[in-house]
């Protein structure tokens, strides 16, 4: 353990270096090592000041998250920080890489901070359902004022060293060698006789908030909507408020209480699960990280519709030049106009500099000439969802694209292998299933065909990382992971309204559960026509003995495609997005119920929740069983990033585990009795329920 932290001296400056790769996490060994080295430095008569820094690529990037599940082992980070701050020698933190969470709290315990310009600082705890628990909520408001501290701590966002310098969180920016710069800065502080500035003793910045305690309620109000359902952001506010209302030592105690409350909450466990699941998703057992990915210098997108335009934007946003190939000049112009409009909207909100917008637009080149695909390292097809059209496009790509190019399809329901068969290089064909709007939604399902090579997967994965997507690998099946599960969710939502619920009630129940929106509002946003066209294609294969709700089809027959046509499951006032109940829809629903002989009744909220969510879990179990998803966590990631499932519940598979699979399986079996075949419990679910296990126990020894 001793070598996790070391002490040495350079001239009159003692240097404490944390060396705990990869990110110098503040595990128990580092905390103990820091205490030991602090003692050495403080007792070293030759040292006039101490510099604390990290070896390798970063300063301490936070707590050791693996410790969160266990009782916290001493020494406590608060004690380490108190020792730094109260120590007899001037202490300076020298930051580089990412100084996050506990790392930043150590830096705030120091009397001064310097950093390389490339450094990022932040308190990401809130994203794990926690709050900074080692004085961060007490010291930051004293340094930057409570309002700014609230923004920083409650958002959890990182900030550049330059921004932090402007706010006074960092005293000195360093160019070149960090260690040399830090030593020189420390020598200067000593030479100038600068005091040991203890942030815990600085009070002036708290004064305005003491006179106007309303800032906290105003801030609560401001985050009410974006933080709906979450516990930690509100606990963060309480902690910062304690910094204003209590003396420092008491504030620290309050912060600790609030931290432990968050740590013990199911929300933080779920959010920590989500955090690990996202990282794990990028690990494909038979495609190791070393698998060579082909470099991607240029891309092409076929089709400039809803998806093609958004996909082209994600490439341009990452600095990758992209040709967009369309079938007609009108479609091309329409597509490019939408792209321009989307960028302009972002620029108008001040979130994109005009010059940057122009740079991105210049990277997107529309064309009707197919030879434009010749220089692309990856081509993403986003044309109509029809097999014949897709196959024709792929046959053409096979003739025109580079021999090494990855040929990707954005299909949402078609068989990737069948598409690949239109080419002489099925190994280079992969599904890249983007979510709408593609430039906004973070999820990307990569769909592995039977012949997709490891190199193709590695290349697509590397691209996904570069364009900032969270990606999950799915096997090739109807609907892949996300939409295959969604089918049951939507089916039950529609059955429920036939049985007597209203779209508003169903949507409210799922919204209150924490979804970004309910199933009917979601369909209206996505457009009902897409599913309608797909259902028409499959109508012949539908089992006649199976209950089927025709309401969505009838809405489409009346031209009600959702928000874009002013009506779908709801009606919309021109230019407004607020869904309003529509008597015409209610009549269609009642008519459908009558035709099927359904006796309408009052449906309880609890039934709505179970009927909609259990199908997700049951189908998820089948998807796991069949190996379509590699792990339950991948399914959770798909739902968190593609479908607005509340992150503080961890995803559908994790959520089912928190309820206990036995209970979930019993409920599904009960609905199986009532509603028949569609509710048959998946055998994996049955087995795990019997064994008292959860999905996440699978694959664990
Ligand atoms: N819309 C969604 O929410 C969504 C989400 C995920 C995946 N997808 C999938 O993405 C694909 C595209 O969907 P969309 O919603 O963007 O459709 P869209 O109808 O908006 O756009 C398709 C575009 O492709 C063009 N096109 C058709 N045939 C072409 C050809 N041979 N050569 C060049 N261009 C051609 C059309 O002119 C049109 O502009 C489909 O496979 C769809 O299933 C859609």
């Amino acid at each position: 353990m001793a070598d996790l932290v070391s002490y040495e001296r350079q001239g009159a400056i003692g240097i404490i270096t944390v060396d705990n790769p990869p990110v110098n996490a503040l595990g128990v060994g580092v905390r103990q090592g820091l205490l030991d080295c602090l003692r050495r430095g403080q007792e070293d008569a030759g040292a006039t000041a101490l510099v604390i820094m990290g070896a390798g690529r970063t300063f301490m990037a936070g707590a050791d998250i693996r410790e969160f599940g266990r009782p916290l082992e001493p020494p406590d980070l608060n004690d380490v920080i108190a020792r730094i701050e109260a120590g007899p020698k001037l202490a300076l933190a020298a930051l580089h890489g990412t100084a996050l969470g506990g790392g930043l709290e150590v830096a705030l315990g120091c009397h001064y901070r310097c950093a390389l310009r490339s450094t990022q600082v932040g308190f990401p705890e809130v994203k794990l359902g926690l709050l900074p628990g080692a004085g961060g909520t007490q010291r930051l408001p004293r340094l930057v004022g409570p309002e700014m501290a609230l923004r920083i701590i409650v958002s959890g966002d990182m900030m550049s060293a330059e921004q932090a310098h402007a706010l006074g969180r960092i005293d000195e920016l360093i160019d070149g060698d960090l260690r040399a710069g830090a030593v020189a800065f420390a020598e200067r502080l000593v030479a100038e006789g600068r005091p040991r500035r203890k942030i815990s003793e600085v009070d002036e910045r708290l004064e305005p908030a003491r006179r106007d305690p309303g800032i906290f309620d105003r801030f609560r109000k401001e985050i009410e909507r974006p933080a709906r359902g979450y516990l930690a952001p509100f606990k963060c506010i309480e902690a910062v408020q304690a910094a204003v209302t209590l003396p420092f030592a008491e504030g620290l105690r309050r912060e600790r209480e609030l931290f432990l409350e968050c740590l013990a909450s199911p929300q933080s466990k779920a959010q920590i699960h989500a955090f690990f699941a996202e990282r794990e998703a990028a690990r494909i057992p038979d495609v190791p990280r070393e698998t060579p990915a082909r470099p991607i210098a240029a891309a092409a997108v076929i089709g400039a519709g809803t998806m093609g335009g958004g996909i082209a934007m994600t490439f341009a946003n990452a600095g990758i030049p992209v040709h967009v190939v369309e079938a007609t000049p009108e479609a091309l112009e329409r597509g490019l106009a939408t792209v321009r409009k989307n960028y302009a909207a972002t620029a108008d909100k001040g979130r994109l500099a005009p010059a940057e917008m122009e740079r991105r637009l210049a990277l997107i080149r529309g064309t009707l000439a197919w030879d434009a695909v010749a220089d692309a390292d990856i081509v993403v097809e986003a044309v109509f969802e029809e097999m014949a059209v897709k196959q024709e496009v792929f046959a053409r790509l096979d003739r025109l694209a580079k021999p090494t190019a990855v040929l990707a399809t954005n299909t949402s329901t078609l068989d990737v292998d069948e598409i690949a068969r239109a080419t002489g290089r099925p190994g280079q064909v992969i599904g890249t299933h983007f979510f709408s709007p593609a430039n906004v939604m973070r999820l990307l399902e990569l769909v592995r065909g039977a012949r997709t090579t490891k190199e193709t997967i590695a290349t697509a994965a590397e691209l996904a990382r570069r364009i900032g997507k969270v990606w999950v690998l799915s096997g090739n099946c109807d609907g892949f992971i996300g939409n295959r599960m969604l089918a049951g969710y939507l089916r039950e939502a529609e059955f429920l309204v036939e049985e007597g619920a209203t779209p508003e009630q169903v949507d409210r129940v799922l919204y209150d559960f924490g979804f970004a929106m309910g199933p009917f509002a979601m369909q209206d946003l996505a457009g009902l026509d897409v599913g309608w066209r797909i259902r028409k294609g499959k109508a012949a294969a539908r089992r006649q003995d199976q209950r089927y709700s025709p309401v969505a089809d009838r809405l489409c027959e009346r031209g009600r495609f959702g928000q874009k046509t002013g009506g779908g499951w709801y009606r919309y006032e021109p230019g407004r997005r607020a869904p309003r109940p529509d008597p015409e829809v209610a009549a269609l629903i009642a008519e459908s119920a009558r035709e099927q002989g359904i006796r309408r009744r009052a449906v309880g909220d609890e039934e709505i929740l179970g009927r909609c969510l259990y199908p997700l879990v049951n189908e998820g179990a089948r998807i796991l069983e069949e190996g379509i998803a590699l792990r339950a966590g991948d399914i959770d990631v798909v739902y968190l990033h593609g479908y607005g499932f509340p992150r503080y519940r961890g995803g559908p598979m994790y959520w089912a585990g928190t309820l206990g699979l036995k209970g979930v399986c019993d409920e599904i079996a009960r609905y199986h009795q009532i509603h028949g075949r569609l509710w048959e419990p998946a055998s994996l679910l049955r087995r795990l329920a019997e064994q008292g296990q959860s999905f996440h126990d699978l694959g664990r020894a």
Side-chain angles (χ1 to χ4, degrees), residues 265-289:
S265 75
Q267 289 204 354
S268 122
K269 292 186 180 68
Q271 286 173 258
I272 290 172
H273 158 72
F275 174 86
F276 281 119
E278 280 158 15
R279 270 149 196 75
E280 182 81 357
R283 235 178 27 81
I284 309 303
D286 68 331
V287 187
R289 274 188 207 285

Side-chain angles (χ1 to χ4, degrees), residues 302-308 325-328 331 334 370 381-386 389-390 392-393 396 409-414 433-436 483 526 530 533-534:
I302 314 297
T306 312
M307 296 307 289
V325 184
E326 252 297 345
T328 65
R334 206 176 329 120
W370 278 75
E381 164 279 311
V383 303
F384 301 136
E385 185 77 344
E386 277 172 45
V389 184
K390 303 256 190 213
E392 196 200 309
V393 166
R396 211 189 261 198
T409 171
N410 189 48
T411 180
S412 21
T413 55
L414 300 175
H433 184 219
F434 286 84
F435 285 68
S436 181
N483 284 343
V530 183
R533 217 165 292 132
I534 295 168

Side-chain angles (χ1 to χ4, degrees), residues 393-444:
V393 166
F394 271 76
R396 211 189 261 198
L397 291 178
D398 195 27
R399 288 195 299 278
L400 295 171
K402 273 187 196 175
T404 52
V406 168
L407 306 182
T409 171
N410 189 48
T411 180
S412 21
T413 55
L414 300 175
D415 180 351
V416 173
D417 291 328
E418 208 176 322
I419 295 174
R421 275 199 288 278
T423 75
R425 42 173 133 170
Q428 280 155 248
V429 176
I430 189 167
T432 48
H433 184 219
F434 286 84
F435 285 68
S436 181
N439 54 314
V440 177
M441 298 293 285
R442 284 199 71 204
L443 182 67
L444 180 59

Side-chain angles (χ1 to χ4, degrees), residues 298-545:
V301 172
I302 314 297
T306 312
M307 296 307 289
I311 295 168
M313 287 174 77
T314 66
F315 284 130
N317 294 348
I320 302 170
V322 53
H323 280 292
V324 181
V325 184
E326 252 297 345
T328 65
E330 299 74 38
L332 181 60
E333 192 30 57
R334 206 176 329 120
L336 293 179
T338 305
V339 167
R340 276 194 294 273
K341 198 179 75 181
N342 287 339
Y343 274 132
T346 314
D348 286 347
K349 287 185 205 136
R351 285 200 248 123
L352 184 67
E356 179 58 21
M357 168 174 121
E358 291 306 325
R359 202 182 63 81
R360 294 183 191 185
L361 278 171
L363 287 171
I364 302 176
R365 282 161 299 173
T367 178
L368 301 172
W370 278 75
D371 24 347
V373 306
D375 67 349
D377 301 299
I378 183 165
V379 185
V380 181
E381 164 279 311
V383 303
F384 301 136
E385 185 77 344
E386 277 172 45
M387 184 53 83
V389 184
K390 303 256 190 213
Q391 286 195 325
E392 196 200 309
V393 166
F394 271 76
R396 211 189 261 198
L397 291 178
D398 195 27
R399 288 195 299 278
L400 295 171
K402 273 187 196 175
T404 52
V406 168
L407 306 182
T409 171
N410 189 48
T411 180
S412 21
T413 55
L414 300 175
D415 180 351
V416 173
D417 291 328
E418 208 176 322
I419 295 174
R421 275 199 288 278
T423 75
R425 42 173 133 170
Q428 280 155 248
V429 176
I430 189 167
T432 48
H433 184 219
F434 286 84
F435 285 68
S436 181
N439 54 314
V440 177
M441 298 293 285
R442 284 199 71 204
L443 182 67
L444 180 59
E445 279 181 327
L446 296 182
V447 185
R448 177 181 204 161
R451 306 200 35 202
T452 309
T453 65
K454 294 175 187 182
E455 197 183 12
T456 300
I457 295 173
T459 305
E462 170 56 20
L463 175 75
R465 195 194 56 73
R466 233 173 110 192
I467 62 177
K469 298 293 178 194
V470 175
W471 63 274
V472 166
L473 188 69
S474 169
N476 181 24
C477 68
D478 191 3
F480 314 129
I481 297 174
N483 284 343
R484 174 167 160 184
M485 287 163 67
L486 194 72
Y489 169 83
L490 296 181
R491 175 195 77 217
E492 291 301 318
E494 291 170 22
F495 287 177
L496 282 162
V497 294
E498 286 178 335
E499 288 165 36
T502 60
E504 305 84 89
Q505 186 194 2
V506 173
D507 277 357
R508 177 184 45 77
V509 169
L510 288 147
Y511 179 81
D512 287 348
F513 176 78
F515 271 94
M517 61 186 90
F520 295 108
M522 182 185 77
Q523 291 183 75
D524 274 2
L525 180 65
L528 296 176
D529 46 327
V530 183
W532 184 40
R533 217 165 292 132
I534 295 168
R535 284 194 300 278
K536 277 201 276 194
K538 292 182 186 162
R542 197 162 54 232
R543 286 174 59 141
Q544 293 308 310
D545 60 344

